[in-house]
Amino acid sequence: MLVQPMNSSGYGFGGEAMCKGNGYKPANLHKWGPGVRDVFALHYIVSGTGYLKTQHGTFRLDTGESFIIFPHMEVYYYPDPLDPWEYYWIELYGVEASRLLSMINFTPASPVVEASPQDLAPLFHVGSPELEPFERERSDAKLHLLLSYYMEYYPSDRAILMKDYALSAREYIESNFWKPSLSVLDVVDFVKIERSYLFRLFKEENGVSISGYLTAFRIRRACELLITSDLSVKSIAYSVGYQDPLYFSKVFKKATSYTPSEFKNAQSPGNAVPYFM
């Protein structure tokens, strides 16, 4: 049997599919291509040797090294006939997958990374589609863990920038959103880089402006409190950084199409609405 599949059903984080499938390929003479895929396909070599051929050249891979196939990029990969490779693979797709993979030093011109300082094979066992809800959460966490090691060992220039700037800005917002006085300038002062540069990095990384992210995070937290607590609208407004409950209600309705009271009532069993993210 050429392939031992572990998972063939998409799943991922927060309802957004990331993993389309994953599995293991034992040492044999199986080859693939030339052809294209519509997903990212990450491969980790357990033993042996093989070759990846793209428009940018032919790459030799040995034990501990990894390669990735980019969507719609023509590839041909095959084992060394004298020492055929054995590898694990995982297929990824979706916006979140693209974002995480952009933090890893893979490019179409350079789709191979050197041997990992530790064995990554166990992390490719992310689970199967027939899982209990708590098991699915653990599988999602394993997938994030796997990619986090690639981000650590092979960081892209983008990842280094985001670590120093955009990520710091986001973490500062999430730690201080409850302060009514929190402003965009406070975030800029904390990160300590030129304002327009931070604005560009933050928007590129998060898909929204700093002020938009602050508002979204406050409203998301307000939704959580409306669902899980018996606090008054006034108390919730103060808890998420709004001193004026009327202004809070206006912002909340613009974001969710509901007033806070309407939103809370709509969360009753059988009449739930998804809350603002």
Side-chain angles (χ1 to χ4, degrees):
M1 184 176 181
L2 294 180
V3 180
Q4 298 175 8
M6 298 177 193
N7 182 10
S8 58
S9 177
Y11 64 93
F13 312 103
E16 179 182 355
M18 279 188 59
C19 177
K20 187 174 182 179
N22 62 300
Y24 162 75
K25 183 79 67 176
N28 55 45
L29 297 181
H30 172 73
K31 57 186 178 181
W32 193 90
V36 299
R37 307 294 305 279
D38 59 357
V39 295
F40 296 96
L42 177 62
H43 298 69
Y44 175 71
I45 314 307
V46 178
S47 67
T49 300
Y51 298 87
L52 170 68
K53 186 175 182 179
T54 76
Q55 67 185 74
H56 299 285
T58 300
F59 304 87
R60 174 191 169 103
L61 289 110
D62 294 305
T63 302
E65 297 181 326
S66 302
F67 72 92
I68 194 166
I69 297 171
F70 285 85
H72 314 298
M73 182 178 77
E74 187 177 23
V75 299
Y76 173 46
Y77 55 95
Y78 52 93
D80 184 316
L82 300 180
D83 184 21
W85 58 10
E86 170 191 9
Y87 60 80
Y88 286 92
W89 56 269
I90 188 165
E91 296 175 342
L92 306 168
Y93 70 107
V95 174
E96 179 68 1
S98 296
R99 185 187 72 82
L100 292 173
L101 289 171
S102 73
M103 303 292 183
I104 303 167
N105 195 28
F106 284 123
T107 67
S110 183
V112 174
V113 293
E114 62 188 13
S116 166
Q118 75 171 71
D119 181 15
L120 298 177
L123 298 176
F124 279 78
H125 296 268
V126 297
S128 68
E130 294 80 22
L131 297 175
E132 296 292 334
F134 68 89
E135 294 174 313
R136 291 288 291 272
E137 292 298 324
R138 291 172 184 168
S139 291
D140 288 350
K142 287 180 180 178
L143 183 54
H144 253 134
L145 182 63
L146 169 64
L147 295 181
S148 77
Y149 277 102
Y150 277 92
M151 291 166 64
E152 177 184 358
Y153 297 146
Y154 318 106
S156 66
D157 292 341
R158 175 187 173 91
I160 294 170
L161 283 176
M162 297 312 161
K163 176 182 177 182
D164 289 342
Y165 302 129
L167 182 59
S168 294
R170 193 174 70 187
E171 290 177 343
Y172 184 76
I173 291 171
E174 294 176 2
S175 298
N176 295 276
F177 73 95
W178 55 272
K179 298 177 180 178
S181 62
L182 182 65
S183 69
V184 171
L185 290 179
D186 292 329
V187 179
V188 174
D189 288 342
F190 174 78
V191 179
K192 294 181 173 58
I193 63 168
E194 197 272 326
R195 182 170 61 179
S196 62
Y197 183 47
L198 176 60
F199 286 178
R200 179 172 61 81
L201 287 177
F202 193 93
K203 181 70 176 289
E204 181 183 346
E205 170 64 9
N206 297 288
V208 67
S209 67
I210 292 176
S211 60
Y213 188 88
L214 173 58
T215 298
F217 193 85
R218 283 172 164 168
I219 298 303
R220 184 173 67 195
R221 179 57 179 151
C223 289
E224 293 169 353
L225 291 173
L226 284 165
I227 294 170
T228 61
S229 77
D230 293 323
L231 293 173
S232 67
V233 171
K234 180 178 180 179
S235 292
I236 290 175
Y238 277 109
S239 299
V240 298
Y242 293 95
Q243 292 181 309
D244 183 348
L246 293 178
Y247 179 66
F248 162 70
S249 296
K250 181 179 179 180
V251 174
F252 189 95
K253 185 168 185 177
K254 183 178 180 180
T256 67
S257 300
Y258 293 86
T259 67
S261 297
E262 289 171 344
F263 178 86
K264 188 174 183 68
N265 292 334
Q267 300 306 307
S268 59
N271 192 32
V273 296
Y275 63 91
F276 180 79
M277 295 299 292

